[in-house]
Amino acid sequence: MSQAHPTWKSLLAGRADPGLEEEIAVFETEIELKKQGRIDDKLFAETRLRRGVYGQRYDNGQRHDGQETRTLAYPCGDLKKGPDTVWDAPGMQRIKIPMGLVSAEQMDVMAELAEEYSDSILHVTTRQDIQLHFVHIEDTPPMMRRLAAVGITTREACGNSVRNVTACQFAGVCAGAPFDITPYAHACTQFLLGHKDIQDFGRKFKIAFSGCKDQPCGLANFHDLGAIATVAEDGRRGFELYVGGGLGAVPHKAKLLSDFVAEDELLPTIQAVCRVFARLGEKKNRAKARLKFLVKKLGIDEFGRLCDDELAIIPHDERWTRYLGELDVTDEQPTKPGRALDAIPAGLEEFWRSNVQRQSQDGYAVVTVRLPLGDFTSDQARGIADLARKYCGDTIRLTVDQNLVLRWVPEADVPALHKELVALELGTAGAGGIVDVTACPGTDTCKLGISASRGLARVLSDKLADADLPEDVERLHIKASGCFNSCAQHHVADIGFLGVSRNVGGRRVAHFQLVVGGQWDHNGASYGLAVGAFPSKRIPEVVDRLTQYWQSEREPGERFQTFMKRVGRAPLKKLLDDLRPVPGYDEDPSFYTDWGDAREYTIGDMGVGECAGEIVTFAEFGLADSERAVFEAQLRLETQDGTEAARLAYQAMLSAARALVRVENIDVTDDPDDIVGQFRERFYDTGVFKHKSVGGRFASYLFRRHGTPPGAESLEAAHHQIEEAQLFIEAAHRCYDRLVELSAEASK
Amino acid sequence: MTILANQISVKLFTRRAANQDLLIPIFHRWIREDLVAEHLLIDVADYRHVPRGPGIMLIANHAHLWMDEAEPGVGLIYARRRDPLGDLEVKVREALTWVAALGAQLEAEDGFAGVFDPSRVELQIRSRLSSAETFEEGRSALATVTDALAEEIWGPGSELEFGGDPRRPVTIRLRAANRFATATELAKAVAHERKARPSLSVLA
């Protein structure tokens, strides 16, 4: 053998766009400078985030093993890749896939990267990205180089930038859309990538394109900017533009900025929105820095006016319209002519019903490949690439419900394609249905995860797949987020879950807050409301009861969302209340571990220590009282009494705050001024009431509400206040746990 | 152009299906009790939902370990993320040592007694730091090393089979003479040849 040692840089020289190559070279230099201690941790962190190089759980070098927190003795010593982020700790590489559009060649390369740098698993996210986990930071430049060689950049996959631009997976082949939005989303991606006007955001910015209003695929209603295709009466193509949507801890529905932005005005209008956001968006308080807060603060009319003013002064850019001459750049070329299928073969009916959709082009179909929890192996990825080449002209699209689709499949080839998918173990039916549970990474890999959303999703999917469910139950959507940040979009699910934690008898128990009646279709049109928290191990039973209740009590043809809205929370509470209590540890210790984990449950990996101290009964009673109050607030909201609902939400926060104050001062009165004043002095100013990832913002909900004179409240405002109250109460629970821990320490 | 032999992985096949569920508490305990010497154990990843996937994976700093379900059969894979210094023979021997040793450790756990078939292994060079033209060269180099190791450890009579897809890592499957009954016996035989044995109790 010769002694030559090639590098990916030398092997791929000249294959990538020079701009991308330069970016990667700069990042490599920054890595070296960081290793020499010549770049600040915070700066380097933002640098790598802007390249999609993300952190993972335990990257602070600490891990709770079920009994205690231990240090992971990485060989890098004190070298960090960000504040409190150890250099050698495995991270995640997010790969932006604009519009979810992947070529077969790109899929082959990502399969290789997963094998060499990750765990041989590719993960599809709810924003049509691919994520690879357990990646070492020093492997990221060669990864980026190999991606660049096939036309993929990871630039601005994370960080305070425009993230991946998503688009509905049926764009261009769907009869419901007036035109194919793919080239417009592509133009938007290209235009904004690295644009100077998006470099000064205080937070991330997410854009989605949808071909129509009715279907869910584009989810324009909860993005910072959503564009829905429309055609003017004179035949001009354009878009309805929505701004200020977002899920996260408190969901906001996007507001209509314009009911028609012509195609030649699309890019400058988006640019104007970005400039207003960069100029006026919050920069210091990250919790208030998303566009939704700016739109709410200004009101949509004023925001629109500012955008118009901005539009008038932006220097002209020929790229605004140059792309209109190249709208065919994203056109796909089918491999074969269309050919109808005479009859669906026996055995294919279920798959056809759930996974196949006829295209608007005669004789073609779109086949959805259901990926369990969005995961597939490198071998499966190569298999998919081969199927794309064979059946449909090379392109594959990822979807926001963590699957992928093969388009332009001749209908007559679907049976053969299905057979090949089965051979790859990718031929299961149920795509987009109740067995196809969406979940964010949760406690598997995310530092913010509170409960095991993937573990829950796995259990639910298996259980529901074995059940003999009516067809309409099969079509429900379940989504599970690991925390309140909503990465699995639980707010728009029929049945949604977000991870929370409870202290039971001095031990931590994983729970999920149930959210019902969200609306997935019509671009994620409306959000469900929280019903209450249930132990993680009871969730399968919760799902069973909800679906059975709907089946038995609904009016003929009544949809799940409509039903939930009609019946309201009181009957749901009655239906599910007996599922809330947690058995004692000696009675059933399984409740004290989370799904898929052998360790006793803890949120210690988020930085809060395990509690083994004595229960402070006044605090627990007070916290339970606060939850009752917020439930009553929700009931008032259902009766359209926004003012009373808001008042009760405020009362709920006061209850929780008083519960904590009483731990230190049993003489605290019922006077709100006294409660808030003592809470501020004893818990906020001392730093005790802090949530690790969000600072003191939950306390600010109480302070702001206390400082606002009472008055009439709209339903929307009341809704937000209820959501904020729930978050404050969650934080109060965590604060209480901390007090118990401190008490236990003091008593040793 | 030369294959730079990096990221060696070895798969030790099983005689029967393995219960992935049992690996969750086992791997978490290995982490808690620091039962894999010379490795920084980090976490356990659960991919049971992925058909023919990695199942339950033990994540360590420079290697991963998992009971893989991909074709041609179930087996314990030990895959280096960072190779030790040395030539291809050193790297392959190292990976083989650890998969056998960890297989032996797993055999001592409830539910895994006698699960392994120590006469069948699959070796891979997972890194593709080469041009396509050197795939054959890499395969040839790996075959030479494997052949020599097989003779040394298992004795004469081994058969080698090559993995064919050039998109996949360079792959060789070995079916050796049936000299060992368990992974423990294999591990002791392999370790005998190392200058330092892995510090695992099963090899004591």
Side-chain angles (χ1 to χ4, degrees), chain A residues 411-436:
Chain A
E411 278 185 33
D413 282 349
V414 171
L417 170 62
H418 178 248
K419 202 169 165 187
E420 295 203 60
L421 285 172
V422 169
L424 286 175
E425 303 265 15
L426 290 174
T428 48
I434 199 170
V435 296
D436 195 6

PDB file of all heavy atoms in Angstrom, chain A residues 411-436:
ATOM      1  N   GLU A 411     -49.338   4.641 -12.005  1.00  0.00           N
ATOM      2  CA  GLU A 411     -50.258   3.904 -11.126  1.00  0.00           C
ATOM      3  C   GLU A 411     -50.094   2.404 -11.280  1.00  0.00           C
ATOM      4  O   GLU A 411     -50.156   1.650 -10.317  1.00  0.00           O
ATOM      5  CB  GLU A 411     -51.704   4.278 -11.498  1.00  0.00           C
ATOM      6  CG  GLU A 411     -52.200   5.573 -10.889  1.00  0.00           C
ATOM      7  CD  GLU A 411     -53.661   5.785 -11.224  1.00  0.00           C
ATOM      8  OE1 GLU A 411     -54.407   4.785 -11.330  1.00  0.00           O
ATOM      9  OE2 GLU A 411     -54.032   6.945 -11.406  1.00  0.00           O
ATOM     10  N   ALA A 412     -49.915   1.979 -12.503  1.00  0.00           N
ATOM     11  CA  ALA A 412     -49.809   0.537 -12.764  1.00  0.00           C
ATOM     12  C   ALA A 412     -48.567  -0.056 -12.126  1.00  0.00           C
ATOM     13  O   ALA A 412     -48.475  -1.281 -11.949  1.00  0.00           O
ATOM     14  CB  ALA A 412     -49.798   0.282 -14.266  1.00  0.00           C
ATOM     15  N   ASP A 413     -47.592   0.779 -11.763  1.00  0.00           N
ATOM     16  CA  ASP A 413     -46.368   0.293 -11.116  1.00  0.00           C
ATOM     17  C   ASP A 413     -46.469   0.260  -9.603  1.00  0.00           C
ATOM     18  O   ASP A 413     -45.549  -0.220  -8.933  1.00  0.00           O
ATOM     19  CB  ASP A 413     -45.180   1.188 -11.488  1.00  0.00           C
ATOM     20  CG  ASP A 413     -44.650   0.892 -12.885  1.00  0.00           C
ATOM     21  OD1 ASP A 413     -45.050  -0.127 -13.472  1.00  0.00           O
ATOM     22  OD2 ASP A 413     -43.827   1.692 -13.393  1.00  0.00           O
ATOM     23  N   VAL A 414     -47.548   0.804  -9.060  1.00  0.00           N
ATOM     24  CA  VAL A 414     -47.634   0.873  -7.594  1.00  0.00           C
ATOM     25  C   VAL A 414     -47.544  -0.511  -6.941  1.00  0.00           C
ATOM     26  O   VAL A 414     -46.845  -0.668  -5.941  1.00  0.00           O
ATOM     27  CB  VAL A 414     -48.897   1.636  -7.146  1.00  0.00           C
ATOM     28  CG1 VAL A 414     -49.096   1.522  -5.634  1.00  0.00           C
ATOM     29  CG2 VAL A 414     -48.803   3.110  -7.546  1.00  0.00           C
ATOM     30  N   PRO A 415     -48.226  -1.539  -7.466  1.00  0.00           N
ATOM     31  CA  PRO A 415     -48.077  -2.851  -6.831  1.00  0.00           C
ATOM     32  C   PRO A 415     -46.630  -3.334  -6.798  1.00  0.00           C
ATOM     33  O   PRO A 415     -46.169  -3.848  -5.774  1.00  0.00           O
ATOM     34  CB  PRO A 415     -48.961  -3.766  -7.693  1.00  0.00           C
ATOM     35  CG  PRO A 415     -49.978  -2.842  -8.279  1.00  0.00           C
ATOM     36  CD  PRO A 415     -49.255  -1.564  -8.520  1.00  0.00           C
ATOM     37  N   ALA A 416     -45.921  -3.163  -7.911  1.00  0.00           N
ATOM     38  CA  ALA A 416     -44.519  -3.610  -7.944  1.00  0.00           C
ATOM     39  C   ALA A 416     -43.669  -2.776  -7.000  1.00  0.00           C
ATOM     40  O   ALA A 416     -42.790  -3.300  -6.291  1.00  0.00           O
ATOM     41  CB  ALA A 416     -43.978  -3.506  -9.371  1.00  0.00           C
ATOM     42  N   LEU A 417     -43.917  -1.479  -6.989  1.00  0.00           N
ATOM     43  CA  LEU A 417     -43.180  -0.611  -6.081  1.00  0.00           C
ATOM     44  C   LEU A 417     -43.435  -1.013  -4.631  1.00  0.00           C
ATOM     45  O   LEU A 417     -42.513  -1.090  -3.813  1.00  0.00           O
ATOM     46  CB  LEU A 417     -43.597   0.854  -6.305  1.00  0.00           C
ATOM     47  CG  LEU A 417     -43.104   1.873  -5.268  1.00  0.00           C
ATOM     48  CD1 LEU A 417     -41.588   1.941  -5.231  1.00  0.00           C
ATOM     49  CD2 LEU A 417     -43.661   3.262  -5.562  1.00  0.00           C
ATOM     50  N   HIS A 418     -44.700  -1.287  -4.341  1.00  0.00           N
ATOM     51  CA  HIS A 418     -45.045  -1.685  -2.976  1.00  0.00           C
ATOM     52  C   HIS A 418     -44.294  -2.956  -2.571  1.00  0.00           C
ATOM     53  O   HIS A 418     -43.774  -3.061  -1.448  1.00  0.00           O
ATOM     54  CB  HIS A 418     -46.557  -1.901  -2.843  1.00  0.00           C
ATOM     55  CG  HIS A 418     -46.960  -2.364  -1.482  1.00  0.00           C
ATOM     56  ND1 HIS A 418     -47.455  -3.635  -1.243  1.00  0.00           N
ATOM     57  CD2 HIS A 418     -46.931  -1.739  -0.280  1.00  0.00           C
ATOM     58  CE1 HIS A 418     -47.704  -3.765   0.049  1.00  0.00           C
ATOM     59  NE2 HIS A 418     -47.402  -2.635   0.648  1.00  0.00           N
ATOM     60  N   LYS A 419     -44.213  -3.869  -3.509  1.00  0.00           N
ATOM     61  CA  LYS A 419     -43.502  -5.123  -3.213  1.00  0.00           C
ATOM     62  C   LYS A 419     -42.043  -4.832  -2.854  1.00  0.00           C
ATOM     63  O   LYS A 419     -41.472  -5.411  -1.911  1.00  0.00           O
ATOM     64  CB  LYS A 419     -43.572  -6.007  -4.442  1.00  0.00           C
ATOM     65  CG  LYS A 419     -43.373  -7.471  -4.180  1.00  0.00           C
ATOM     66  CD  LYS A 419     -43.727  -8.282  -5.430  1.00  0.00           C
ATOM     67  CE  LYS A 419     -43.166  -9.686  -5.274  1.00  0.00           C
ATOM     68  NZ  LYS A 419     -43.315 -10.479  -6.465  1.00  0.00           N
ATOM     69  N   GLU A 420     -41.455  -3.909  -3.589  1.00  0.00           N
ATOM     70  CA  GLU A 420     -40.052  -3.567  -3.308  1.00  0.00           C
ATOM     71  C   GLU A 420     -39.928  -2.802  -1.993  1.00  0.00           C
ATOM     72  O   GLU A 420     -38.939  -2.949  -1.265  1.00  0.00           O
ATOM     73  CB  GLU A 420     -39.461  -2.762  -4.476  1.00  0.00           C
ATOM     74  CG  GLU A 420     -39.389  -3.564  -5.772  1.00  0.00           C
ATOM     75  CD  GLU A 420     -38.354  -3.034  -6.753  1.00  0.00           C
ATOM     76  OE1 GLU A 420     -37.151  -2.996  -6.397  1.00  0.00           O
ATOM     77  OE2 GLU A 420     -38.731  -2.668  -7.883  1.00  0.00           O
ATOM     78  N   LEU A 421     -40.913  -1.995  -1.699  1.00  0.00           N
ATOM     79  CA  LEU A 421     -40.896  -1.305  -0.397  1.00  0.00           C
ATOM     80  C   LEU A 421     -41.006  -2.316   0.740  1.00  0.00           C
ATOM     81  O   LEU A 421     -40.343  -2.191   1.770  1.00  0.00           O
ATOM     82  CB  LEU A 421     -42.051  -0.290  -0.313  1.00  0.00           C
ATOM     83  CG  LEU A 421     -41.882   1.007  -1.114  1.00  0.00           C
ATOM     84  CD1 LEU A 421     -43.176   1.809  -1.104  1.00  0.00           C
ATOM     85  CD2 LEU A 421     -40.733   1.852  -0.562  1.00  0.00           C
ATOM     86  N   VAL A 422     -41.841  -3.309   0.553  1.00  0.00           N
ATOM     87  CA  VAL A 422     -41.987  -4.345   1.580  1.00  0.00           C
ATOM     88  C   VAL A 422     -40.647  -5.051   1.798  1.00  0.00           C
ATOM     89  O   VAL A 422     -40.257  -5.331   2.936  1.00  0.00           O
ATOM     90  CB  VAL A 422     -43.084  -5.351   1.184  1.00  0.00           C
ATOM     91  CG1 VAL A 422     -43.055  -6.571   2.099  1.00  0.00           C
ATOM     92  CG2 VAL A 422     -44.461  -4.686   1.266  1.00  0.00           C
ATOM     93  N   ALA A 423     -39.944  -5.305   0.714  1.00  0.00           N
ATOM     94  CA  ALA A 423     -38.629  -5.949   0.832  1.00  0.00           C
ATOM     95  C   ALA A 423     -37.657  -5.072   1.615  1.00  0.00           C
ATOM     96  O   ALA A 423     -36.731  -5.580   2.260  1.00  0.00           O
ATOM     97  CB  ALA A 423     -38.065  -6.248  -0.559  1.00  0.00           C
ATOM     98  N   LEU A 424     -37.848  -3.776   1.556  1.00  0.00           N
ATOM     99  CA  LEU A 424     -37.021  -2.852   2.334  1.00  0.00           C
ATOM    100  C   LEU A 424     -37.569  -2.637   3.738  1.00  0.00           C
ATOM    101  O   LEU A 424     -37.007  -1.864   4.501  1.00  0.00           O
ATOM    102  CB  LEU A 424     -36.971  -1.474   1.638  1.00  0.00           C
ATOM    103  CG  LEU A 424     -36.123  -1.320   0.390  1.00  0.00           C
ATOM    104  CD1 LEU A 424     -36.321   0.086  -0.200  1.00  0.00           C
ATOM    105  CD2 LEU A 424     -34.644  -1.525   0.706  1.00  0.00           C
ATOM    106  N   GLU A 425     -38.662  -3.285   4.053  1.00  0.00           N
ATOM    107  CA  GLU A 425     -39.364  -3.078   5.334  1.00  0.00           C
ATOM    108  C   GLU A 425     -39.895  -1.657   5.437  1.00  0.00           C
ATOM    109  O   GLU A 425     -39.956  -1.086   6.523  1.00  0.00           O
ATOM    110  CB  GLU A 425     -38.428  -3.371   6.527  1.00  0.00           C
ATOM    111  CG  GLU A 425     -37.842  -4.753   6.529  1.00  0.00           C
ATOM    112  CD  GLU A 425     -38.658  -5.716   7.382  1.00  0.00           C
ATOM    113  OE1 GLU A 425     -39.802  -5.391   7.726  1.00  0.00           O
ATOM    114  OE2 GLU A 425     -38.148  -6.801   7.700  1.00  0.00           O
ATOM    115  N   LEU A 426     -40.307  -1.112   4.310  1.00  0.00           N
ATOM    116  CA  LEU A 426     -40.869   0.242   4.278  1.00  0.00           C
ATOM    117  C   LEU A 426     -42.245   0.256   3.618  1.00  0.00           C
ATOM    118  O   LEU A 426     -42.685   1.282   3.133  1.00  0.00           O
ATOM    119  CB  LEU A 426     -39.914   1.188   3.511  1.00  0.00           C
ATOM    120  CG  LEU A 426     -38.610   1.515   4.211  1.00  0.00           C
ATOM    121  CD1 LEU A 426     -37.700   2.320   3.287  1.00  0.00           C
ATOM    122  CD2 LEU A 426     -38.846   2.293   5.508  1.00  0.00           C
ATOM    123  N   GLY A 427     -42.920  -0.879   3.634  1.00  0.00           N
ATOM    124  CA  GLY A 427     -44.191  -0.956   2.927  1.00  0.00           C
ATOM    125  C   GLY A 427     -45.419  -0.902   3.810  1.00  0.00           C
ATOM    126  O   GLY A 427     -46.494  -1.332   3.398  1.00  0.00           O
ATOM    127  N   THR A 428     -45.286  -0.388   5.019  1.00  0.00           N
ATOM    128  CA  THR A 428     -46.438  -0.407   5.919  1.00  0.00           C
ATOM    129  C   THR A 428     -47.429   0.682   5.556  1.00  0.00           C
ATOM    130  O   THR A 428     -47.059   1.782   5.164  1.00  0.00           O
ATOM    131  CB  THR A 428     -46.030  -0.241   7.388  1.00  0.00           C
ATOM    132  OG1 THR A 428     -45.135   0.860   7.497  1.00  0.00           O
ATOM    133  CG2 THR A 428     -45.366  -1.480   7.932  1.00  0.00           C
ATOM    134  N   ALA A 429     -48.700   0.346   5.755  1.00  0.00           N
ATOM    135  CA  ALA A 429     -49.774   1.301   5.504  1.00  0.00           C
ATOM    136  C   ALA A 429     -49.919   2.241   6.703  1.00  0.00           C
ATOM    137  O   ALA A 429     -49.165   2.154   7.663  1.00  0.00           O
ATOM    138  CB  ALA A 429     -51.073   0.537   5.264  1.00  0.00           C
ATOM    139  N   GLY A 430     -50.896   3.133   6.607  1.00  0.00           N
ATOM    140  CA  GLY A 430     -51.189   3.993   7.748  1.00  0.00           C
ATOM    141  C   GLY A 430     -50.488   5.322   7.738  1.00  0.00           C
ATOM    142  O   GLY A 430     -50.477   6.021   8.760  1.00  0.00           O
ATOM    143  N   ALA A 431     -49.888   5.702   6.615  1.00  0.00           N
ATOM    144  CA  ALA A 431     -49.183   6.989   6.565  1.00  0.00           C
ATOM    145  C   ALA A 431     -50.151   8.124   6.898  1.00  0.00           C
ATOM    146  O   ALA A 431     -51.257   8.197   6.373  1.00  0.00           O
ATOM    147  CB  ALA A 431     -48.580   7.202   5.186  1.00  0.00           C
ATOM    148  N   GLY A 432     -49.709   9.008   7.786  1.00  0.00           N
ATOM    149  CA  GLY A 432     -50.513  10.169   8.130  1.00  0.00           C
ATOM    150  C   GLY A 432     -51.694   9.874   9.035  1.00  0.00           C
ATOM    151  O   GLY A 432     -52.497  10.760   9.331  1.00  0.00           O
ATOM    152  N   GLY A 433     -51.807   8.641   9.479  1.00  0.00           N
ATOM    153  CA  GLY A 433     -52.946   8.280  10.323  1.00  0.00           C
ATOM    154  C   GLY A 433     -52.555   8.137  11.780  1.00  0.00           C
ATOM    155  O   GLY A 433     -51.471   8.553  12.193  1.00  0.00           O
ATOM    156  N   ILE A 434     -53.448   7.516  12.528  1.00  0.00           N
ATOM    157  CA  ILE A 434     -53.228   7.474  13.977  1.00  0.00           C
ATOM    158  C   ILE A 434     -52.023   6.647  14.378  1.00  0.00           C
ATOM    159  O   ILE A 434     -51.402   6.910  15.417  1.00  0.00           O
ATOM    160  CB  ILE A 434     -54.510   6.985  14.701  1.00  0.00           C
ATOM    161  CG1 ILE A 434     -54.469   7.376  16.180  1.00  0.00           C
ATOM    162  CG2 ILE A 434     -54.725   5.487  14.493  1.00  0.00           C
ATOM    163  CD1 ILE A 434     -55.766   7.158  16.920  1.00  0.00           C
ATOM    164  N   VAL A 435     -51.680   5.635  13.565  1.00  0.00           N
ATOM    165  CA  VAL A 435     -50.511   4.819  13.916  1.00  0.00           C
ATOM    166  C   VAL A 435     -49.212   5.550  13.556  1.00  0.00           C
ATOM    167  O   VAL A 435     -48.132   5.172  14.001  1.00  0.00           O
ATOM    168  CB  VAL A 435     -50.519   3.448  13.211  1.00  0.00           C
ATOM    169  CG1 VAL A 435     -51.703   2.633  13.681  1.00  0.00           C
ATOM    170  CG2 VAL A 435     -50.500   3.588  11.708  1.00  0.00           C
ATOM    171  N   ASP A 436     -49.315   6.584  12.758  1.00  0.00           N
ATOM    172  CA  ASP A 436     -48.141   7.311  12.274  1.00  0.00           C
ATOM    173  C   ASP A 436     -47.920   8.508  13.196  1.00  0.00           C
ATOM    174  O   ASP A 436     -48.106   9.661  12.812  1.00  0.00           O
ATOM    175  CB  ASP A 436     -48.395   7.763  10.833  1.00  0.00           C
ATOM    176  CG  ASP A 436     -47.125   8.191  10.119  1.00  0.00           C
ATOM    177  OD1 ASP A 436     -46.038   8.029  10.691  1.00  0.00           O
ATOM    178  OD2 ASP A 436     -47.238   8.698   8.981  1.00  0.00           O
TER     179      ASP A 436
END
